[in-house]
Amino acid sequence: MIYKILLVLSWVYIVFGMIGIYRFDNMYVRLLTSSKIDTVAFITIIIAMIIRSGFSQLTLRLFLIMFFIMLTNPVSNHIISRSAYLNGIGIKDEVKNED
């Protein structure tokens, strides 16, 4: 029962994060928001899977996957934002609405 609540909670994180991505207009803030969605929703899903499967060899594998994602996700987002910065996309660059 708890794992079902965690799975629904992960979908709530994803929906609110997607709303946040569309609200912000700065590329770096959108990247930060998408990183948070990915990390928090993924951890919630993995914890739900651990609870569902019980403590076994699969639990160890799920912990290893969660640890790997928690290490690589911030690094990959840092690489993307650094590449954007080095290619001239500034913090203040925004899409202007011509109304």
Side-chain angles (χ1 to χ4, degrees), residues 12-61:
V12 170
Y13 291 149
I14 291 170
V15 168
F16 281 128
M18 289 173 60
I19 292 169
I21 286 175
Y22 287 114
R23 279 189 73 200
F24 297 123
D25 52 358
N26 188 347
M27 194 274 304
Y28 296 103
V29 178
R30 285 182 176 182
L31 185 64
L32 177 70
T33 306
S34 68
S35 171
K36 297 304 176 192
I37 294 169
D38 187 26
T39 305
V40 172
F42 182 79
I43 289 172
T44 308
I45 290 170
I46 292 292
I47 291 173
M49 290 172 61
I50 288 171
I51 292 172
R52 172 72 173 109
S53 68
F55 294 103
S56 63
Q57 187 178 11
L58 179 63
T59 305
L60 178 63
R61 291 180 186 168

Side-chain angles (χ1 to χ4, degrees), residues 42-87:
F42 182 79
I43 289 172
T44 308
I45 290 170
I46 292 292
I47 291 173
M49 290 172 61
I50 288 171
I51 292 172
R52 172 72 173 109
S53 68
F55 294 103
S56 63
Q57 187 178 11
L58 179 63
T59 305
L60 178 63
R61 291 180 186 168
L62 290 172
F63 273 122
L64 289 175
I65 291 170
M66 186 170 65
F67 180 72
F68 178 74
I69 293 297
M70 288 175 65
L71 285 179
T72 58
N73 192 21
V75 172
S76 65
N77 282 310
H78 174 74
I79 290 170
I80 292 169
S81 62
R82 180 162 170 82
S83 174
Y85 180 75
L86 292 176
N87 284 318

